[in-house]
């Protein structure tokens, strides 16, 4: 059981929630309401989904982080919650941990405690709001030994992840000297910003060991037919003005600028009636493989350092390829992010996500409703191949990536996830 101080802290938080009606705060996250589980059965996955929905508002309340920076925290919280849940319920192997909790403990309390502790320790300024969400979570768990044991085990699960990730390279300075040579990346218009988040290419991965494990072969040479063909495509379909894009293609390019994958995962788990164990596994596997896919993409960006289409098209008279031609005034539909072309981070993480889902579900039918904050719309993807097709095309139609950077990235993400699922989040062997 927890110490008396721990019990008082948890129950005091619940009392605050009851007094102020703060349980409604949980409704801001997906699937926050759930009825009691069947006697003897694991709880629903609602508590997992609501805490994963809380990550974004905690780590980036002002909307200043890049998508990859935010991915780091989704992966950390998801693995802490996963370890807290499977450490009690069993069924799947914990992530880099052997500790088991009491079978009498509440896995719902453990999940909430793991997420709460990891976020509160990492983002102390968010503590007041986190306490309110935590109180709402514990209010759904009956007071007593099961709650106390669950909270204590969840806190230990969070501390384990924090210890594992200490000194992992987050935010470390990584130099990339831009050189004005043909084919080499340099800051792009309009902001001409330096290489953003270069540390991601040196971040210690969560699953794959080293950032370069799934580094693909080099991109096509500047003088190759493939390079000329792909540059011509992005020039024609990715231009801001006078593009060959259809309205649907333009919408696709904008749709993929900011997806709410966490909400999509929660919605799938809810509609398919995943319990707390399978929901925790879904979030942990999807978020860790996507993060390692981003690390893989940034490793390739640092290693190959290839110029973006906006530079390549404007300076095509310097690439040595007679099949390309320069357009000094060409502009892409989307603003080019400040890092190299090869690999596309979005296509790489997209491939990792889809391969993870098909691996977990045992079918290519992913049945995923994915909301976009970029367009305010939601698309339904029945099959993984449809999502992979669109995520590859989107970056070409947005004018910010060549097709070879997208396809190589998507394939690398799929290979990474297939490898990871053979080693992590596996069913416990009996």
């Amino acid at each position: 059981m927890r110490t008396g101080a721990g019990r008082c802290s948890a129950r005091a938080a619940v009392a605050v929630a009851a007094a102020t009606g703060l349980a409604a705060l949980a409704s801001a996250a997906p699937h926050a309401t759930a009825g009691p589980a069947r006697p003897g059965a694991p709880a629903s996955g609602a508590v997992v989904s609501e805490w994963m929905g809380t990550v974004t508002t905690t780590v980036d309340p002002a909307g200043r982080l890049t998508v990859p920076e935010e991915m780091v925290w989704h992966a950390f919280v998801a693995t802490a919650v996963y370890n807290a849940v499977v450490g009690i319920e069993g069924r799947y192997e914990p992530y880099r941990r052997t500790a088991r909790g009491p079978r009498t403990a509440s896995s719902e309390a453990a999940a909430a405690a793991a997420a709460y502790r990891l976020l509160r320790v990492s983002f102390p300024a968010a503590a007041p709001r986190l306490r309110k969400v935590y109180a709402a979570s514990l209010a759904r768990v009956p007071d007593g030994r099961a709650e106390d044991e669950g909270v204590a085990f969840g806190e230990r699960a969070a501390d384990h992840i924090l210890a594992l990730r200490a000194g992992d390279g987050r935010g470390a300075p990584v130099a990339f000297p831009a050189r004005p040579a043909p084919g080499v990346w340099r800051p792009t218009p309009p902001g001409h910003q330096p290489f953003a988040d270069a540390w991601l290419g040196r971040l210690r991965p969560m699953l794959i060991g080293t950032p370069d494990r799934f580094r693909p072969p080099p991109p096509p040479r500047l003088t190759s037919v493939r390079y000329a063909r792909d540059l011509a495509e992005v020039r024609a379909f990715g231009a801001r003005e006078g593009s060959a894009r259809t309205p649907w293609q333009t919408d696709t390019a904008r749709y993929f600028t900011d997806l709410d994958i966490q909400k999509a995962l929660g919605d799938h788990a809810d509609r398919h009636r995943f319990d707390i164990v399978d929901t925790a596994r879904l979030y942990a596997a999807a978020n860790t493989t996507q993060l390692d896919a981003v690390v893989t993409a940034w490793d390739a960006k640092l290693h190959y350092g290839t110029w973006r289409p906006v530079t390549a098209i404007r300076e095509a008279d310097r690439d040595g390829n007679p099949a390309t031609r320069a357009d000094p005034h060409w502009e892409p539909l989307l603003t080019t992010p400040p890092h190299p072309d090869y690999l596309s981070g979005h296509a790489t993480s997209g491939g990792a996500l889809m391969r993870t889902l098909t691996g977990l579900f045992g079918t290519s039918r992913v049945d995923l409703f994915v909301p976009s904050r970029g367009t305010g719309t939601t698309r339904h993807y029945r099959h993984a191949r449809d999502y992979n097709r669109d995520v590859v095309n989107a970056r070409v139609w947005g004018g910010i990536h060549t097709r070879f950077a997208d396809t190589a990235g998507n394939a690398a993400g799929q290979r990474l996830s297939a490898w990871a699922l053979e080693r992590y989040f596996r069913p416990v062997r009996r």
Side-chain angles (χ1 to χ4, degrees):
M1 292 181 67
R2 281 185 291 141
T3 64
R7 284 195 299 271
C8 290
S9 176
R11 289 175 179 168
V14 173
V16 170
T20 59
L22 289 170
L25 278 171
S27 64
H31 321 303
T33 57
R38 301 186 311 276
S44 80
V47 67
V48 179
S49 297
E50 71 183 32
W51 275 100
M52 293 308 301
T54 300
V55 174
T56 297
T57 55
T58 300
V59 307
D60 191 23
R64 294 173 182 168
L65 293 184
T66 62
V67 171
E69 287 177 305
E70 191 177 306
M71 279 184 178
V72 170
W73 296 102
H74 281 119
F76 291 1
V77 173
T79 48
V81 170
Y82 171 78
N83 278 352
V85 170
V86 301
I88 294 170
E89 300 285 354
R91 293 201 345 228
Y92 301 109
E93 296 174 353
Y95 168 77
R96 298 189 176 182
R97 195 179 191 216
T98 58
R100 296 286 181 174
R103 292 306 300 266
T104 53
S106 164
S107 55
E108 189 172 4
Y116 170 66
R117 185 174 183 87
L118 193 147
L119 290 171
R120 180 178 58 78
V121 169
S122 304
F123 300 91
R129 183 183 184 280
L130 290 171
R131 279 195 295 269
K132 296 171 184 178
V133 181
Y134 186 45
S137 294
L138 291 188
R140 296 196 299 269
V141 180
D143 290 341
R145 177 180 175 181
E147 179 192 46
D148 294 343
E149 290 178 338
V151 167
F153 188 70
E155 290 174 348
R156 293 197 297 273
D159 290 342
H160 175 71
I161 295 300
L162 289 170
L164 279 180
R165 299 309 302 181
D168 61 4
R170 273 169 285 155
V174 176
F176 183 90
R179 303 184 303 278
V184 179
W185 180 86
R186 78 290 306 265
T188 52
H192 297 280
Q193 297 175 329
F195 196 139
D197 302 330
W199 55 268
L200 283 164
R202 299 291 180 263
L203 183 71
R204 188 193 326 135
M206 297 198 71
L207 307 173
I208 64 174
T210 59
D212 62 351
R213 179 183 287 273
F214 291 94
R215 182 191 295 167
R221 290 178 296 178
L222 297 185
T223 54
S224 68
V225 172
R226 172 69 186 277
Y227 175 83
R229 184 186 71 198
D230 283 13
L231 193 65
E233 179 188 24
V234 71
R235 175 176 178 160
F237 285 88
R240 180 174 299 176
E241 303 292 341
S243 169
R245 286 186 313 274
T246 66
W248 183 84
Q249 289 170 333
T250 298
D251 184 69
T252 299
R254 297 189 187 281
Y255 167 83
F256 275 94
T257 57
D258 189 8
L259 301 181
D260 192 342
I261 297 299
Q262 306 308 311
K263 189 171 183 179
L265 295 174
D267 173 76
H268 182 96
D270 183 54
R271 287 185 293 107
H272 291 267
R273 299 184 181 278
F274 283 18
D275 66 12
I276 193 170
V277 183
D278 285 319
T279 303
R281 183 189 187 217
L282 173 62
Y283 275 108
N287 280 294
T288 53
T289 54
Q290 283 187 101
L291 177 57
D292 278 13
V294 167
V295 172
T296 297
W298 256 254
D299 165 76
K301 290 175 186 289
L302 284 169
H303 184 74
Y304 295 115
T306 55
W307 59 6
R308 284 280 188 162
V310 64
T311 310
I313 292 169
R314 292 184 179 192
E315 300 185 19
D317 55 344
R318 301 180 60 214
D319 63 18
N321 192 324
T324 65
R325 58 188 178 87
D327 182 351
H329 305 293
W330 187 88
E331 292 186 351
L333 171 67
L334 305 177
T335 300
T336 302
H339 35 76
D341 178 51
Y342 189 85
L343 297 170
S344 162
H346 216 82
T348 308
S349 63
L353 173 64
M354 289 299 110
R355 181 60 183 83
T356 297
L357 298 185
T358 59
L360 296 182
F361 302 162
T363 174
S364 64
R365 184 181 173 88
V366 293
D367 184 24
L368 209 63
F369 287 92
V370 186
S372 168
R373 289 179 287 247
T375 59
T377 59
T378 296
R379 291 189 179 188
H380 180 227
Y381 284 98
R382 289 183 173 82
H383 294 93
R385 65 175 180 269
D386 299 328
Y387 185 95
N388 283 327
R389 176 202 63 214
D390 285 359
V391 76
V392 165
N393 286 333
R395 286 333 206 207
V396 176
W397 296 338
I400 59 176
H401 275 299
T402 51
R403 182 167 293 278
F404 55 77
D406 292 328
T407 55
N410 194 257
Q414 293 189 53
R415 290 194 301 273
L416 181 159
S417 282
W419 181 92
L421 289 181
E422 291 178 352
R423 293 161 176 81
Y424 295 91
F425 314 113
R426 299 177 300 183
V428 174
R429 294 180 181 179
R430 297 186 182 278

